[in-house]
Amino acid sequence: MTRKYFGTDGIRGRANGVITPELALRVGMAAGLVFQRGEHRHRVVIGKDTRLSGYMIENALVAGFTSVGMDVLLLGPMPTPAVAMLTHSMRADLGVMISASHNPFDDNGIKLFGPDGYKLSDVIEAEIEELLDGDMSARLAAPTKIGRAKRVESVHARYIEFAKRTLPRNQSFDGIRVVVDCANGAAYRVAPEALWELGCDVVTIGDQPDGFNINREVGSTSPEALMAKVREVRADIGIALDGDADRVLIVDEKGHLVDGDQLMAVVAESFMQDGRLSRNGVVATVMSNLGLERYFQSLGLSLERTAVGDRYVLEHMRAHGFNVGGEQSGHIILSDYSTTGDGLVAALQVLAVVQRFGRPVSEVCHRFDPLPQILKNVRYRAGKPLETDSVRQAIAAAELKLNSHGRLLIRPSGTEPVIRVMGEGDDRDLVEAVVNDVVEAVAAAA
């Protein structure tokens, strides 16, 4: 399905370039019309991260929603998973998160959630797109039916309490020193407070947003500052969130990074031991390391793979009844608690396992040795290089060389004219050789 506005995670682009006040206004009108179902007074909740452009987009959305008769509850800066949870908890007809996640401050985006707290289906997004470029003036609310807007102040406490309740009732992290990096983003208030209330000795970085510094040299996409801080203050663990706090990475007490694959292994094995794993397996993407797949096999668990994107992981989880899934990049989806990736909730689950073992994070969160993984990008001008005979032959030859000792993944980027060639296996030299063979063939065809 070709879509003009929606990508794999809402509408995203440069603020005042792609994401303009006019577009936000029309998104509010169109989404408001699509989600008016029944005679009750309709309401929408709107959260945002800390980007400067959030003010502009928020006000334009409010104008759009109220113009078609929807009441608006403004949450202020809140994590994406909090907005999803509150949409359902507050019986809203629609939820909106204004964020471009881990992108720089000058990008922004609009993510929409249905009344169940899940991201919208392709079908509903298509309905909204159909209205966006049309004339909606005939469907504006009568003067007496125009919506109202108000800011809600109690939502931070509601989300903190929700996150704490994902743990056993008497869980306490007394004595654990935690450095939490909030990426100068949406979780800058809730994450440190939740950890402190659970007994942690909390050191915080990336908690001084100024509208411009979200994700800048902090957060899960730039964990170096956290790694240094953990070593400096001799913390037990570091927690790196991204700009909208739907992903998390961990830093161990030695200052070493722990990726999403290791975190999925920690949580899934814990759930399995407690009898909480709904299926004998976990859902991840094609990018997760083969070492993770082999580790799960040793536990009698399967690893089911999807296309890259937490959206596809969640769709597979819902369709097949899995309750643990995620991405190497740190989207950890625990569907018993959340309808989307939740960095804080995932971090709390990992902390609970660390405390249960009573051993350093470097031991608890190292479940397998990742296989050597090499990723190279080949830029092309036009055409479809992957469909040429020479490239197909090179891929077949590379797979034959790897045999059962690794895997090869070749895919076009969804956002730029680039072919991504990824190989992994037991023998790093062999992997590098087959990746180079394919890269050369693609480059020649391009």
Side-chain angles (χ1 to χ4, degrees), residues 277-319:
L277 205 58
S278 61
R279 292 283 304 275
N280 283 328
V282 171
V283 182
T285 76
V286 291
M287 294 304 293
S288 278
N289 196 275
L290 187 56
L292 176 64
E293 187 172 337
R294 292 179 177 176
Y295 181 72
F296 281 146
Q297 288 172 352
S298 74
L299 298 176
L301 303 176
S302 66
L303 180 69
E304 304 210 2
R305 295 182 183 268
T306 73
V308 175
D310 61 313
R311 172 185 187 142
Y312 302 113
V313 173
L314 183 56
E315 284 176 0
H316 193 89
M317 290 173 66
R318 294 184 74 187

Side-chain angles (χ1 to χ4, degrees), residues 25-69:
L25 172 75
R26 296 189 67 79
V27 168
M29 294 170 66
L33 290 171
V34 167
F35 278 87
Q36 285 194 15
R37 302 169 184 183
E39 296 301 317
H40 64 280
R41 188 77 184 176
H42 294 82
R43 58 159 67 174
V44 55
V45 298
I46 301 179
K48 60 181 180 178
D49 63 24
T50 55
R51 292 163 213 268
L52 179 64
S53 57
Y55 295 100
M56 172 186 79
I57 298 165
E58 180 184 60
N59 283 311
L61 283 167
V62 169
F65 282 120
T66 54
S67 74
V68 295

Side-chain angles (χ1 to χ4, degrees), residues 85-252:
M85 181 275 290
L86 290 163
T87 301
H88 180 64
S89 172
M90 299 175 78
R91 294 184 68 185
D93 299 281
L94 185 63
V96 183
M97 178 65 182
I98 305 167
S99 176
S101 190
H102 56 277
N103 286 26
F105 89 94
D106 46 3
D107 284 345
N108 217 325
I110 301 171
K111 304 181 187 183
L112 302 176
F113 297 94
D116 57 0
Y118 286 97
K119 292 176 182 177
L120 305 188
S121 68
D122 289 344
V123 173
I124 295 177
E125 286 181 351
E127 286 183 48
I128 294 171
E129 285 219 352
E130 194 173 344
L131 288 172
L132 273 176
D133 287 332
D135 183 1
M136 293 179 277
S137 58
R139 301 181 64 181
L140 293 175
T144 56
K145 301 292 186 180
I146 292 172
R148 301 173 185 267
K150 67 177 180 179
R151 199 161 291 280
V152 185
E153 299 296 340
S154 62
V155 288
H156 294 88
R158 286 180 69 156
Y159 175 65
I160 289 169
E161 197 59 31
F162 156 78
K164 288 163 59 180
R165 286 183 179 178
T166 65
L167 297 169
R169 182 180 296 273
N170 297 319
Q171 182 80 57
S172 172
F173 297 134
D174 286 348
I176 297 180
R177 173 168 284 190
V178 177
V179 182
V180 58
D181 180 351
C182 302
N184 291 318
Y188 79 98
R189 287 178 57 186
V190 293
E193 190 168 333
L195 290 163
W196 183 84
E197 289 183 10
L198 286 163
C200 294
D201 175 10
V202 182
V203 177
T204 308
I205 65 174
D207 64 334
Q208 300 294 321
D210 61 9
F212 305 99
N213 60 3
I214 187 169
N215 300 313
R216 186 196 295 163
E217 298 179 355
V218 286
S220 63
T221 51
S222 300
E224 294 78 15
L226 176 63
M227 294 158 73
K229 195 69 175 180
V230 166
R231 290 190 291 263
E232 177 192 331
V233 302
R234 298 183 180 180
D236 299 298
I237 189 171
I239 297 170
L241 303 170
D242 70 335
D244 68 335
D246 65 351
R247 67 165 77 177
V248 63
L249 295 177
I250 295 295
V251 171
D252 69 23

